[in-house]
Amino acid sequence: MKQASVLVCGTGIAGLACALGLSRAGLSVDLLGPRQMPPVRPADDYHPRVYAISDTSRALLDRLGAWRLIHAHRITPVEAMEIHGDANGFLDLSAWQDARDTLAWIVESGEIERALQQAVQVMGVAWHEDQFTGLETKGQGVCVMTASGRCWQPDLLIGADGARSPVRQAAQIHHDYTPYGDMGVVAHLDIERPHQNRACQWFTGDSVFALLPLPDTADGPQASLVWSMPENRARRWLAMDAEAQQAYLFAHALAITGGRLGRLRLRTRPQGFPLTLERTAMVAPGVALVGDAAHRVHPLAGQGLNLGLGDVQTLIQVLSDREPHRAIGDLQVLARYRRRRAEPVWAMGAVTHGLHRLFGTQCASLAWARNQGMQLADRLPFLKRQLIRAAAGD
Ligand SMILES: Cc1cc2nc3c(=O)[nH]c(=O)nc-3n(C[C@H](O)[C@H](O)[C@H](O)COP(=O)(O)OP(=O)(O)OC[C@H]3O[C@@H](n4cnc5c(N)ncnc54)[C@H](O)[C@@H]3O)c2cc1C
């Protein structure tokens, strides 16, 4: 029987993981998109983008043979999270409270990409450095056009082409888009006090200031900052010269963190990303979306990529479990994928959006309730275990 063919468009983490997983599941896979192997960085130089990887995502990367290709000394386990409200609210989530060692792992984007690219190479997945330009429906299937003038007729086209997804647009897949009016600004910082593998987050009312632990370097301990703040303020900060950027951080960070990790200094230049809540119908005949092409959530829970890797895992499962008479692009098969992703994607969007609104409101009674709610949650071991399991991606 002819092997079913898949074309994965997009060579970010979701696309690479998808191509690798489907190839390992026995499908004939081609990858379409730019190819740039992230360089191996010197010991104390860290890629500016890092992700909190959940246990479920780590397990997927492990099954794909990629986790073991990431240098162990560049992976930072998160053993506890402390979340500070804007008044006296405080929540401490420690791995031991749910009888586990780790809540998540902080890993550089470049390291994950490099490991996945190596695994894709070992698997012999054909990689075409070309660009998706359009789509035509042909009978039951699709015809995919690329910038080089090539036309592909895969049994299934997967759009893993990021938040602006040209595949989603060409396949006319329904897409809801809500801008937050905020930017997520990321940078690595020198910290004075050891982080002790704790992730710390402060809700300040109009911003969320998060510090993720990174490995210590010869210059001392460091953490990665993710600061979600109103877009106009973020743009002003990003436009400043290096000295003014340091002064801005110094002026605000001490007030927000109360000196929790001592004095904070920028190690890398801050980079900003506009924040949106996006939801899509995820499938069309012969087409499925994964990763940011399929959804985007606020980064305050550090779960966007984990959600995308959840798509990859589910899509592999659904395609592998289909009845032998069904084609992989059959809308009935793809609808199963959409149904199975609907609840986790909706829930993550609802939780992150709800928290963003709850902590953004000026209403005094809600401000009181959110901080009391945190204090109450901190005293309820059962609820804390549920929160820990959600953070771990269980
Ligand atoms: C501030 C911030 C912090 C975050 N922190 C976390 C975190 O801690 N944990 C977490 O899980 N998530 C986090 N996220 C979310 C995470 O960044 C994204 O979910 C993830 O990067 C999406 O990966 P992706 O592979 O779906 O898309 P992308 O990384 O955008 O990849 C898309 C790929 O498609 C390619 N492409 C685009 N157009 C075409 C075309 N026409 N033809 C061919 N290829 C094309 C691009 O070149 C690229 O390779 C964070 C997000 C932000 C903004």
Side-chain angles (χ1 to χ4, degrees):
M1 201 168 75
K2 181 182 158 277
Q3 233 183 352
S5 66
V6 182
L7 181 63
V8 178
C9 173
T11 46
I13 295 173
L16 290 166
C18 202
L20 194 53
L22 292 174
S23 175
R24 289 171 79 105
L27 299 175
S28 159
V29 180
D30 287 90
L31 245 181
L32 184 70
R35 180 178 207 153
Q36 217 176 21
M37 180 70 90
V40 178
R41 290 180 171 253
D44 282 354
D45 177 17
Y46 281 74
H47 192 279
R49 296 293 315 265
V50 299
Y51 296 128
I53 295 295
S54 70
D55 197 27
T56 306
S57 296
R58 185 205 52 76
L60 172 66
L61 294 172
D62 197 26
R63 281 196 299 283
L64 295 177
W67 188 255
R68 69 204 70 161
L69 298 175
I70 301 173
H71 297 296
H73 62 272
R74 299 190 81 102
I75 300 175
T76 315
V78 180
E79 292 164 11
M81 281 180 200
E82 51 181 70
I83 304 161
H84 301 255
D86 52 341
N88 51 357
F90 178 70
L91 187 55
D92 179 84
L93 302 175
S94 296
W96 63 263
Q97 291 161 344
D98 190 42
R100 55 176 85 215
D101 298 330
T102 309
L103 294 177
W105 288 264
I106 308 298
V107 192
E108 296 151 272
S109 165
E111 282 295 299
I112 306 176
E113 282 172 49
R114 199 165 43 75
L116 282 168
Q117 289 196 23
Q118 283 172 358
V120 156
Q121 219 165 349
V122 169
M123 211 44 216
V125 175
W127 188 325
H128 309 272
E129 290 189 70
D130 203 347
Q131 200 188 354
F132 170 92
T133 51
L135 189 63
E136 269 176 23
T137 308
K138 275 211 170 152
Q140 297 289 339
V142 289
C143 174
V144 176
M145 268 90 66
T146 70
S148 69
R150 195 160 170 185
C151 174
W152 298 78
Q153 287 190 271
D155 296 313
L156 175 64
L157 168 66
I158 296 179
D161 48 349
R164 301 279 60 81
S165 183
V167 168
R168 184 181 66 220
Q169 290 173 35
Q172 299 184 343
I173 296 177
H174 180 78
H175 172 226
D176 280 334
Y177 173 96
T178 312
Y180 280 109
D182 284 354
M183 269 190 142
V185 181
V186 301
H188 296 337
L189 309 180
D190 285 322
I191 54 178
E192 256 178 355
R193 300 201 181 126
H195 51 60
Q196 296 174 314
N197 294 77
R198 295 178 81 84
C200 304
Q201 190 168 40
W202 288 264
F203 286 88
T204 73
D206 64 351
S207 79
V208 188
F209 189 96
L211 294 174
L212 307 175
L214 286 179
D216 290 351
T217 65
D219 292 335
Q222 57 167 345
S224 180
L225 168 70
V226 185
W227 193 357
S228 311
M229 61 163 93
E231 187 159 351
N232 53 357
R233 256 174 50 201
R235 290 204 184 278
R236 277 205 304 276
W237 188 31
L238 294 172
M240 292 175 191
D241 63 37
E243 205 177 320
Q245 283 182 338
Q246 290 283 13
Y248 183 92
L249 176 71
F250 186 62
H252 291 81
L254 196 63
I256 293 173
T257 66
R260 173 71 183 78
L261 294 176
R263 192 186 163 129
L264 308 179
R265 270 189 72 78
L266 286 168
R267 247 184 204 216
T268 60
R269 247 189 118 75
Q271 294 180 11
F273 301 87
L275 304 182
T276 53
L277 174 66
E278 299 182 44
R279 292 181 172 127
T280 74
M282 293 189 84
V283 299
V287 183
L289 304 177
V290 298
D292 274 19
H295 40 68
R296 260 187 117 213
V297 294
H298 195 287
L300 64 84
Q303 292 292 339
L305 179 62
N306 291 311
L307 213 49
L309 290 173
D311 299 341
V312 170
Q313 176 59 48
T314 303
L315 188 58
I316 295 168
Q317 194 76 52
V318 165
L319 296 183
S320 303
D321 292 349
R322 76 189 190 282
E323 303 87 337
H325 64 275
R326 291 210 185 272
I328 54 172
D330 185 329
L331 192 55
Q332 287 214 36
V333 175
L334 299 180
R336 291 175 197 156
Y337 163 64
R338 183 185 59 209
R339 283 196 295 275
R340 284 184 48 184
R341 291 310 290 155
E343 199 268 334
V345 170
W346 183 87
M348 189 57 70
V351 167
T352 49
H353 191 62
L355 281 171
H356 177 260
R357 291 190 61 171
L358 180 65
F359 279 92
T361 180
Q362 303 296 320
C363 169
S365 52
L366 280 176
W368 177 83
R370 66 195 174 212
N371 289 292
Q372 290 301 309
M374 288 177 82
Q375 288 201 3
L376 181 65
D378 200 48
R379 291 196 295 270
L380 295 176
F382 171 76
L383 184 56
K384 285 174 88 163
R385 278 201 296 278
Q386 300 308 314
L387 291 170
I388 290 169
R389 286 174 194 171
D394 289 2

